[in-house]
Amino acid sequence: MTENKDLAPQATAKKYFVKTYGCQMNVYDSERIGDALEAEGYVATAEMADADLVLLNTCHIREKAAEKVYSDIGRIKKLKQARAELGKSMTIGVTGCVAQAEGAEIIKRAPVVDLVAGPQTYHKLPELVAKAVRGEKAVETEFEIENKFAKMPAATRAQTRSRGVTAFVTVQEGCDKFCTFCVVPYTRGSETSRSVGQIVDEAKRLADAGVREITLLGQNVNAWHGLGPNDREWGLGELLYKLAEIDGIERLRYMTSHPIDMDEGLIAAHGDLDCLMPYLHLPVQAGSDKILKAMNRHHTRDDYLYLMERMREVRPDIAISGDFIVGFPGETEADFEDTLSLIREVKYASAFSFKYSPRPGTPGAGMADQVPNDVAGERLQRLQALLNEQQLTFNKNCLDQEMDVLLEKPGRREGQLIARSPWLQSVIVDQSTGPIGDIVKVRITEAAPNSLVAVKV
Ligand code: SAH
Ligand code: SF4
Ligand code: F3S
């Protein structure tokens, strides 16, 4: 090792900071963006004020998420001014779904922004960053036909740096479903899948780097249909069998799924594969057929309940998680109660729930019968009370049970580790339980709404 080679560039290297908003896909993208910048000689910094390049990897899903970006830009502008007084520059970029949705408008509204790059343009980031650093505004929101990841540096280093023994792998992106409330089809473009080869390579590299659990990501991950060997199309079920064979990968998960893409091959994988964790995130959004139709979800309440039955047939211990929207246009009290009754039937282990947020350009925003904010707020409270109760019940049912947990990372308190249960619960154990990365059998001794406590068996 020559010291010069390792140290000299570090001393003068430009520093970058990426702030991530929104979903896991953005978390994954931010890691890949980090890899791409590091390949250009940038190094990561934990202090935004210290960064020559700040990227905000943004989310457009609800109004609050999108507006947060602008208040953050206001704050970053002050950091930039402070740096200017010291004779240092700061280049500010917006990537992600707000970049795609608003494009050059962002620079009009916030002229301090130098760069805007939509989610399907990240393979061009080195070029765009160089342009912005030169002082020219750089805006790129084209949807590329080629898969951006194929053109970006490989994913191992940055991901394992921050994720440790668990990692995300995006396998599918974009959406063709056009739910009437949702911006994703407009911000991420149409459904595309990465190839079996790319995904398997990445999973192997992650396994070699110490990753034990992989979560496959996609806006509609179960719509994944990648080209496999012999140019044959595979479905997600088949991909899971293939990934299960990789040495070192002990656990597999996938999210987020759409009910209409749960095919028999995928359902069967849940029955066959021990390493496929008994947990399924399957958003339903609403329990009334009228609202499901208005949302353009392509399935009925009964279709969803039947699917739940099938899943529990092949995997009786499966935990179900979901997403819900309250206050969609036209939702009456009776429609809302249909959502509550569906929740009571399914019994969720966990869930995310949101007040409907009208999004520019989506059909929902123009619909008659928008639900008043206070009505939606009151419904959301009732819905969340029920879901919280179910989550606590699910956790309490684990008391005194034995289960295998993956030791994931140091806990908040000295001497503790955080482990992951098969059902994605956080389990607090003593650090003497074993080294991070091990899977150990524990017995649950305490159950709270958001975590469990366990001892080694
Ligand atoms: N592709 C996934 C989810 C994508 S967005 C799916 O099809 O389920 C994540 C969640 O955000 C959605 O499931 C939905 O519950 C919520 N969401 C999306 N658009 C929204 C909006 N306009 N207002 C409120 N919640 C929204
Ligand atoms: Fe949005 Fe619907 Fe597509 Fe999910 S399936 S990303 S909710 S349009
Ligand atoms: Fe947000 Fe885009 Fe993800 S809108 S939820 S960051 S796909």
Side-chain angles (χ1 to χ4, degrees):
M1 224 203 304
T2 67
E3 285 196 345
N4 278 353
K5 196 165 163 255
D6 276 355
L7 292 178
Q10 295 276 334
T12 53
K14 295 228 177 205
K15 296 187 183 135
Y16 77 93
F17 183 98
V18 182
K19 176 166 179 183
T20 308
Y21 308 69
C23 64
Q24 282 91 345
M25 189 147 311
N26 263 8
V27 174
Y28 176 84
D29 285 349
S30 291
E31 297 291 357
R32 296 295 300 261
I33 289 170
D35 279 338
L37 294 173
E38 288 178 23
E40 299 295 309
Y42 278 85
V43 294
T45 171
E47 289 299 326
M48 195 189 268
D50 222 21
D52 301 278
L53 172 66
V54 172
L55 294 181
L56 305 179
N57 196 15
T58 60
C59 173
H60 199 247
I61 200 82
R62 284 166 291 274
E63 190 183 358
K64 250 194 210 156
E67 285 305 312
K68 174 116 190 4
V69 175
Y70 287 99
S71 56
D72 284 357
I73 291 173
R75 236 166 300 152
I76 298 166
K77 190 176 167 185
K78 297 206 179 87
L79 297 180
K80 179 169 176 151
Q81 284 160 352
R83 279 175 69 85
E85 281 163 24
L86 300 171
K88 295 185 201 163
S89 68
M90 180 187 270
T91 303
I92 301 174
V94 176
T95 60
C97 291
V98 176
Q100 189 61 45
E102 299 184 2
E105 284 299 311
I106 296 174
I107 295 177
K108 273 203 196 139
R109 185 168 160 191
V112 71
V113 171
D114 305 295
L115 175 156
V116 174
Q120 307 308 344
T121 69
Y122 297 153
H123 54 290
K124 292 189 185 161
L125 266 179
E127 236 178 88
L128 296 169
V129 166
K131 186 173 170 193
V133 168
R134 281 199 306 273
E136 296 167 49
K137 300 283 182 195
V139 179
E140 184 61 89
T141 54
E142 287 304 303
F143 288 121
E144 300 280 317
I145 307 149
E146 316 94 316
N147 191 326
K148 70 182 165 199
F149 294 125
K151 295 189 171 175
M152 292 175 79
T156 308
R157 193 167 33 98
Q159 272 199 43
T160 47
R161 174 187 65 212
S162 66
R163 295 292 301 169
V165 296
T166 61
F168 294 130
V169 174
T170 293
V171 300
Q172 183 278 339
E173 250 199 278
C175 181
D176 300 337
K177 304 281 191 294
F178 291 92
C179 301
T180 51
F181 52 82
C182 187
V183 294
V184 170
Y186 312 98
T187 64
R188 292 271 165 176
S190 55
E191 286 180 5
T192 55
S193 294
R194 295 175 74 191
S195 69
V196 175
Q198 260 193 54
I199 296 164
V200 171
D201 278 357
E202 191 163 322
K204 282 185 176 157
R205 273 199 305 272
L206 291 170
D208 289 344
V211 168
R212 293 288 158 263
E213 175 176 307
I214 287 182
T215 302
L216 306 181
L217 296 181
Q219 259 94 31
N220 287 295
V221 69
N222 55 347
W224 178 87
H225 52 93
L227 219 44
N230 310 330
D231 283 348
R232 194 170 57 76
E233 287 259 311
W234 290 25
L236 188 67
E238 223 171 339
L239 178 67
L240 287 164
Y241 287 95
K242 179 79 184 168
L243 294 174
E245 291 168 5
I246 296 175
D247 271 346
I249 299 302
E250 314 280 350
R251 295 183 157 193
L252 294 169
R253 304 176 187 275
Y254 61 92
M255 70 185 298
T256 298
S257 299
H258 193 291
I260 64 168
D261 291 318
M262 287 303 298
D263 64 26
E264 284 300 320
L266 183 54
I267 296 173
H270 277 275
D272 291 344
L273 294 173
D274 285 337
C275 67
L276 181 54
M277 291 293 101
Y279 177 96
L280 179 64
H281 183 66
L282 195 65
V284 63
Q285 316 297 355
S288 133
D289 281 342
K290 181 188 101 191
I291 297 299
L292 286 171
K293 186 146 196 272
M295 286 177 162
N296 194 31
R297 290 289 292 180
H298 301 284
H299 66 81
T300 63
R301 169 195 179 95
D302 281 351
D303 294 335
Y304 184 82
L305 290 173
Y306 173 70
L307 198 52
M308 293 293 99
E309 225 173 90
R310 286 284 295 127
M311 293 310 303
R312 286 180 164 140
E313 253 165 46
V314 297
R315 193 71 214 231
D317 64 342
I318 199 160
I320 304 297
S321 140
D323 292 351
F324 297 90
I325 295 177
V326 300
F328 187 77
E331 184 188 74
T332 61
E333 175 64 21
D335 294 320
F336 173 65
E337 298 209 350
D338 284 346
T339 304
L340 294 180
S341 76
L342 178 136
I343 293 171
R344 286 195 196 95
E345 275 193 53
V346 173
K347 297 190 178 68
Y348 287 88
S350 69
F352 300 96
S353 49
F354 312 97
K355 192 155 56 164
Y356 171 65
S357 169
R359 306 303 292 129
T362 61
M367 284 181 185
D369 297 330
Q370 299 283 328
V371 174
N373 195 38
D374 55 333
V375 175
E378 188 268 340
R379 286 180 191 163
L380 185 64
Q381 277 188 9
R382 279 153 69 198
L383 183 103
Q384 289 183 337
L386 176 60
L387 289 168
N388 289 344
E389 188 188 303
Q390 292 195 340
Q391 183 167 331
L392 183 60
T393 303
F394 185 84
N395 286 353
K396 291 261 186 227
N397 286 343
C398 295
L399 270 177
D400 293 327
Q401 276 191 36
E402 291 184 1
M403 60 177 75
D404 290 330
V405 298
L406 170 62
L407 302 177
E408 193 191 353
K409 57 188 177 194
R412 241 178 276 151
R413 293 215 196 113
E414 188 80 17
Q416 288 181 339
L417 293 181
I418 307 279
R420 265 190 199 198
S421 83
W423 302 281
L424 211 54
Q425 296 144 300
S426 282
V427 185
I428 300 163
V429 296
D430 192 87
Q431 71 180 13
S432 65
T433 308
I436 286 176
D438 271 18
I439 293 177
V440 287
K441 195 170 277 307
V442 298
R443 188 168 45 78
I444 305 302
T445 56
E446 285 173 49
N450 294 309
S451 63
L452 306 173
V453 178
V455 292
K456 193 173 178 176
V457 178

